[in-house]
Amino acid sequence: MSVAELKERHEAATAAVDSLRERLRQKRQMLLDNDLVGYSRTQGRAAISFSSTDLVCCRTLQGHTGKVYSLDWSPERNRIVSASQDGRLIVWNALTSQKTHAIKLPCAWVMTCAFSPNGQSVASGGLDSGCSIFNLNFQIDRDGNIPVARFLSGHKGYVSSCQYVPDDETHLVTGSGDQTCILWDVTTGQRLSVFGGEFPSGHTADVMSISINGSNSKMFVSGSCDSTARLWDARIASRAVHTFHGHKGDVNTVKFFPDGQRFGTGSDDGACRLFDVRTGHQLQVYQQQQQQGDNSDDSPIVTSIAFSISGRLLFAAYSNGNCYVWDTLVGKVVLNLGAVQNSHEGRISCLGLSADGSALCTGSWDRTLKIWAFGGHRRVM
């Protein structure tokens, strides 16, 4: 068989696959006859009653001298690690606002940080294309710094996100500007699996965020500048399980729903979306309606999201300093933390919920972090 004949057969097979894919998409769209808000409306569900007295700022953590880019709660819920443009990681006691560690980073251009499941180590990554692991029990050196316990090197671009595998401090997943995600063995520093890259089902632009499924730690989702989110199985690195479309801009943040069957995304297009991992369908879009005459290109971008313990609330941070609390069931904003007393004075770049769901922490370009506490019965929302 000649090269021309092989090329012709390849083109015909590609066209057939594309046709089948389009038919499948149309069939799936026909089955998607309603969204979450529409169903809730038929059930007579109303937005929950929520006010500024139900979520109040009880702590302001000051100490960074640069923009705060990332934060993470410890599993025991009383410590927070934050990463800033000042080139330091700070570990805070969330109950007293005191700093327990201030770690000078080898590379000041940090983008992400994470606590290990046992709370004994923290990880960070950034423009040095690696992930630094710090053991908080190590003795400080003469300069008062904690040395790097392990440096995970293998990405060919900046490390935008990192997360330890739940209940396993020996494994960690990173996302990178090289369009890949990597599963690491932290004890040896070895790469166990690479997701994306040369594989055709991988991302085609920078990976900006990852989230590991708390119910099934073999599954994780990634968000990318290619406007998609992709679901991965750590046991099958060669291809994504599913690709989720819908956004019209970079997907900056992804987060699994508490039950592990859904996940949320936030994008440069100003929208948050909720997807079902089992069907691949989009369940809902959370986006404020534009005023008449407004240019959609000027919409504030979504920088970070988190769900409440029950999943009823979606916390979404925006580049204009707003932080909307969405009722996921009815698709309405029930509170804007950016408009209450003691709110941030700049872009909110990151946020996270404590393990027990009793407090929310936000980090901002105003160089501070704020802890917001739920009052009374709202602790279980």
Side-chain angles (χ1 to χ4, degrees), residues 73-79 94-95 354-358:
W73 286 85
S74 65
E76 78 277 8
R77 71 182 180 277
N78 61 2
R79 289 184 298 161
L95 302 178
S354 62
D356 64 351
S358 64

Side-chain angles (χ1 to χ4, degrees), residues 75 114-121 123 133 152 162-173 183-188 192 212-214 216-218 234:
F115 255 113
S116 65
N118 62 10
Q120 301 302 307
S121 299
I133 310 296
L152 307 179
C162 65
Q163 184 184 349
Y164 278 89
V165 175
D167 301 319
D168 183 3
E169 58 271 4
T170 64
H171 293 95
L172 177 141
V173 178
L183 173 64
W184 301 87
D185 184 325
V186 177
T187 56
T188 65
L192 300 180
I212 302 175
N213 192 332
N216 178 4
S217 60
K218 297 297 183 183

Side-chain angles (χ1 to χ4, degrees), residues 283-300:
L283 300 177
Q284 192 57 52
V285 180
Y286 305 98
Q287 186 171 25
Q288 291 284 60
Q289 294 296 319
Q290 292 292 314
Q291 298 288 333
Q292 188 172 6
D294 280 358
N295 186 345
S296 60
D297 293 338
D298 295 332
S299 299

Side-chain angles (χ1 to χ4, degrees), residues 10 34 40 51 77 87 147 181 231 255 304 310 315 338 349 353 358 361 364:
H10 178 268
N34 205 350
S40 299
S51 69
R77 71 182 180 277
C181 303
L231 181 68
K255 192 71 175 181
S304 185
S310 69
F315 305 95
S349 53
L353 200 72
S358 64
C361 185
S364 169

Side-chain angles (χ1 to χ4, degrees), residues 19-342:
S19 175
L20 288 171
R21 183 180 288 115
E22 178 60 22
R23 288 169 58 190
L24 179 61
R25 187 194 67 79
Q26 293 175 0
K27 286 284 188 181
R28 292 167 69 91
Q29 193 64 33
M30 289 174 61
L31 294 174
L32 188 59
D33 58 354
N34 205 350
D35 59 16
L36 189 59
V37 169
Y39 175 77
S40 299
R41 190 178 295 116
T42 64
Q43 301 300 305
R45 302 300 293 267
I48 62 173
S49 174
F50 205 83
S51 69
S52 58
T53 59
D54 293 316
L55 190 58
V56 296
C57 180
C58 61
R59 296 275 190 280
T60 297
L61 308 181
Q62 297 177 314
H64 281 299
T65 58
K67 299 174 181 177
V68 176
Y69 276 104
S70 179
L71 67 86
D72 191 31
W73 286 85
S74 65
E76 78 277 8
R77 71 182 180 277
N78 61 2
R79 289 184 298 161
I80 297 168
V81 61
S82 58
S84 166
Q85 196 181 47
D86 61 15
R88 291 187 181 274
L89 294 182
I90 295 182
V91 179
W92 310 81
N93 184 318
L95 302 178
T96 66
S97 304
Q98 298 298 309
K99 308 176 191 68
T100 62
H101 299 80
I103 304 170
K104 185 177 181 180
L105 298 171
C107 174
W109 300 102
V110 62
M111 299 180 69
T112 181
C113 62
F115 255 113
S116 65
N118 62 10
Q120 301 302 307
S121 299
V122 292
S124 70
L127 296 190
D128 57 358
S129 303
C131 186
S132 300
I133 310 296
F134 298 91
N135 188 326
L136 299 179
N137 295 320
F138 275 13
Q139 294 293 323
I140 61 174
D141 59 23
R142 292 180 179 180
D143 297 324
N145 297 317
I146 296 178
V148 177
R150 178 75 65 184
F151 184 74
L152 307 179
S153 177
H155 279 297
K156 298 177 182 178
Y158 60 85
V159 173
S160 59
S161 54
C162 65
Q163 184 184 349
Y164 278 89
V165 175
D167 301 319
D168 183 3
E169 58 271 4
T170 64
H171 293 95
L172 177 141
V173 178
T174 54
S176 170
D178 63 10
Q179 306 178 11
T180 70
C181 303
I182 294 180
L183 173 64
W184 301 87
D185 184 325
V186 177
T187 56
T188 65
Q190 297 298 308
R191 290 182 293 178
L192 300 180
S193 300
V194 179
F195 305 88
E198 70 273 15
F199 299 116
S201 65
H203 284 294
T204 57
D206 304 15
V207 175
M208 299 305 296
S209 180
I210 58 168
S211 178
I212 302 175
N213 192 332
S215 302
N216 178 4
S217 60
K218 297 297 183 183
M219 308 296 292
F220 72 94
V221 66
S222 58
S224 166
C225 292
D226 62 11
S227 303
T228 71
R230 296 177 196 244
L231 181 68
W232 302 90
D233 187 329
R235 296 159 293 193
I236 312 172
S238 60
R239 61 182 175 85
V241 176
H242 194 83
T243 299
F244 298 84
H245 300 273
H247 282 295
K248 299 178 181 178
D250 300 355
V251 178
N252 300 314
T253 175
V254 292
K255 192 71 175 181
F256 263 102
F257 202 75
D259 66 2
Q261 301 299 329
R262 288 158 280 272
F263 70 89
T265 58
S267 168
D268 272 6
D269 61 16
C272 298
R273 297 174 186 265
L274 184 65
F275 294 96
D276 190 306
V277 300
R278 297 163 297 183
T279 65
H281 285 157
Q282 175 182 286
L283 300 177
Q284 192 57 52
V285 180
Y286 305 98
Q287 186 171 25
Q288 291 284 60
Q289 294 296 319
Q290 292 292 314
Q291 298 288 333
Q292 188 172 6
D294 280 358
N295 186 345
S296 60
D297 293 338
D298 295 332
S299 299
I301 69 174
V302 183
T303 59
S304 185
I305 62 171
F307 290 101
S308 64
I309 290 295
S310 69
R312 183 64 187 269
L313 301 178
L314 168 65
F315 305 95
Y318 296 81
S319 57
N320 63 354
N322 284 334
C323 182
Y324 290 152
V325 183
W326 291 90
D327 184 324
T328 57
L329 204 55
V330 301
K332 293 183 178 179
V333 174
V334 295
L335 182 65
N336 178 12
L337 294 180
V340 302
Q341 190 176 9
N342 297 323

Side-chain angles (χ1 to χ4, degrees), residues 4-18:
E5 290 174 322
L6 284 173
K7 184 177 180 181
E8 183 178 345
R9 293 183 63 179
H10 178 268
E11 290 176 347
T14 301
V17 169
D18 290 342

